Amino acid sequence: MSENTAGETNTPVETKEKKKGSCLITGLIVLGVIVLILVVLGIFVYRRLKVTYDQYLNDTAVKQVEIIGEEIPDFTVTTTDGEDVTLSELVATHEVTVLNIFTSWCGPCKKEFPAMQQVYEKYPDKIAILALSDEEDDTLDVLTKYKQDLGLTFMVARKEGKAESIPLGGYPTSVILDRNGKVVFCQSGTMPEEDIVEKLYTSFMGDDYDGSPVFMYTAIVLSGKDPVEGAVLKFTSDGDTQEATTDAEGLCVIMVNSPAKYTVTIESVPEGYPNKSEESTVGPQSGWAILSVE
C-alpha cells in the first residue's frame, strides 16, 4: 500500500482505476479537439468549394451570354438512326435549330424531353432538335434505347468534336440558333412545361422575327415543398417591370431581349396562403428565383 498526502492509502487497483479514468478523460478531450478541427476544416472546405462552384456557374453564365450573336463552329455527328448530321445543314433547312446537351442519368433532362417532343411534333418542318449526350458511357446503343423509352422522334447523338465549344453550366443546357446560324439563346436548366418551350422556340419563327436573342428568367413559389399555383409575381429591373403568374408547378417565366438583373417580389397569392413580401433576385444572366410563402 501507499500513503497519499491526506494520510489515506490507495491500493494498486484504485490507482490503476484513477489512471484509466484520467486517460479516458484525456482521450475524450483529444477526440473532441479532433472533431472540432474536422468540423472547422469541413466548413472551410465547403465554403471554398461553394465559392469555387458559384464562381464556375457565374463564369459559365457569362460565357453563355458572350456567345449570343455568335456562330457555333460547324460539326457533324452520327445519330442513333445511323445518319450523319451536320449543324450547318440543319440551320440551312430550318427556322430554329435547338442543341440540347444532356446525359442519360440526368433527371431534369428526362423531365424536359416530353415537352420538347410535343413542341417538335407541332413544327417538325420548322424546328430541328439535336439532343447530344455528354456522357462517355452513353453509347449509341444506350441512347437508342433511351430515345425509344421516352418516345422521342427528334435526333439524338453523342456530343463530340466542335460541339465541345458550348459552355455548360450543368445538364441540361439548351442552345438555340436562328435561321441565320446565330446563337439567340443559351441557358442551363430544365424547361419542363410545353407552353414555355413553345413560346421560346416560336419567338424565333415567322416573318416578323427580327433577329433578337431571348433571355429567360424563371421564378418558383413554394409552400414548404409544395408548389403554389396562381401566385402573381413582379419582375423589376432598371427600365422594365413585368408580371407573371405561377402555373401548377409553381413556376412562372418572363422572356426579354437583353440580360438584366431583376428583383422578384410576390404581388399576390391564392386564398389560404399568407401574402408574404419576400423577394429574390435573378440575373443578370438567365437563372432562377425561389420564393416561399411560409
Side-chain angles (χ1 to χ4, degrees), residues 137-289:
D137 294 335
D138 283 349
T139 64
L140 286 180
D141 288 340
V142 170
L143 293 176
T144 297
K145 184 178 186 306
Y146 182 89
K147 179 180 178 180
Q148 292 173 345
D149 290 344
L150 292 182
L152 306 179
T153 58
F154 52 76
M155 297 171 287
V156 177
R158 288 171 48 82
K159 183 168 78 76
E160 52 192 43
K162 293 183 179 179
E164 299 289 343
S165 64
I166 298 172
L168 301 179
Y171 306 114
T173 290
S174 291
V175 179
I176 299 179
L177 293 86
D178 66 7
R179 68 192 70 169
N180 304 309
K182 304 295 186 181
V183 176
V184 287
F185 180 85
C186 184
Q187 179 177 317
S188 298
T190 185
M191 292 180 285
E193 302 298 318
E194 179 184 350
D195 58 339
I196 294 175
V197 176
E198 183 170 10
K199 182 180 179 181
L200 176 63
Y201 291 4
T202 57
S203 65
F204 309 111
M205 294 166 49
D207 295 336
D208 58 347
Y209 169 61
D210 62 2
S212 298
V214 167
F215 298 85
M216 178 185 294
Y217 299 95
T218 306
I220 181 169
V221 179
L222 300 173
S223 175
K225 295 183 179 180
D226 299 323
V228 178
E229 181 180 8
V232 178
L233 304 185
K234 179 183 287 186
F235 294 74
T236 306
S237 72
D238 293 338
D240 184 39
T241 298
Q242 299 189 43
E243 288 190 354
T245 303
T246 58
D247 60 18
E249 299 293 328
L251 296 169
C252 64
V253 170
I254 65 167
M255 297 181 188
V256 297
N257 298 125
S258 59
K261 184 175 182 179
Y262 284 87
T263 298
V264 187
T265 55
I266 300 177
E267 290 294 291
S268 65
V269 292
E271 185 177 354
Y273 292 101
N275 195 354
K276 286 187 61 177
S277 58
E278 179 178 349
E279 67 178 39
S280 183
T281 58
V282 64
Q285 288 82 29
S286 303
W288 287 69

Side-chain angles (χ1 to χ4, degrees), residues 28-106:
L28 290 175
I29 292 174
V30 172
L31 179 60
V33 172
I34 292 174
V35 170
L36 179 60
I37 292 173
L38 291 175
V39 170
V40 172
L41 285 174
I43 294 173
F44 175 76
V45 171
Y46 168 77
R47 287 179 176 175
R48 287 297 298 272
L49 289 176
K50 186 178 187 303
V51 169
T52 301
Y53 181 65
D54 289 346
Q55 185 62 50
Y56 164 76
L57 292 180
N58 182 72
D59 291 345
T60 301
V62 170
K63 292 177 182 178
Q64 290 178 340
V65 171
E66 288 176 345
I67 70 169
I68 298 295
E70 302 295 325
E71 296 182 358
I72 297 292
D74 203 16
F75 63 84
T76 300
V77 293
T78 302
T79 70
T80 54
D81 298 326
E83 179 184 4
D84 290 335
V85 175
T86 301
L87 178 61
S88 59
E89 294 178 358
L90 295 179
V91 170
T93 53
H94 297 83
E95 290 190 54
V96 180
T97 300
V98 180
L99 304 178
N100 182 273
I101 315 301
F102 77 104
T103 68
S104 62
W105 47 261
C106 168

Side-chain angles (χ1 to χ4, degrees), residues 111-158:
K111 188 175 182 180
E112 79 171 359
F113 276 142
M116 293 172 59
Q117 174 64 31
Q118 290 164 351
V119 176
Y120 174 70
E121 290 176 358
K122 292 182 180 180
Y123 309 95
D125 297 328
K126 296 183 177 182
I127 299 175
I129 299 179
L130 176 58
L132 299 169
S133 174
D134 197 36
E135 170 57 56
E136 290 183 1
D137 294 335
D138 283 349
T139 64
L140 286 180
D141 288 340
V142 170
L143 293 176
T144 297
K145 184 178 186 306
Y146 182 89
K147 179 180 178 180
Q148 292 173 345
D149 290 344
L150 292 182
L152 306 179
T153 58
F154 52 76
M155 297 171 287
V156 177
R158 288 171 48 82

Side-chain angles (χ1 to χ4, degrees), residues 2 10-20:
S2 62
N10 292 329
T11 65
V13 174
E14 290 173 334
T15 302
K16 289 181 179 179
E17 291 299 325
K18 285 186 177 181
K19 288 182 178 180
K20 287 182 179 178

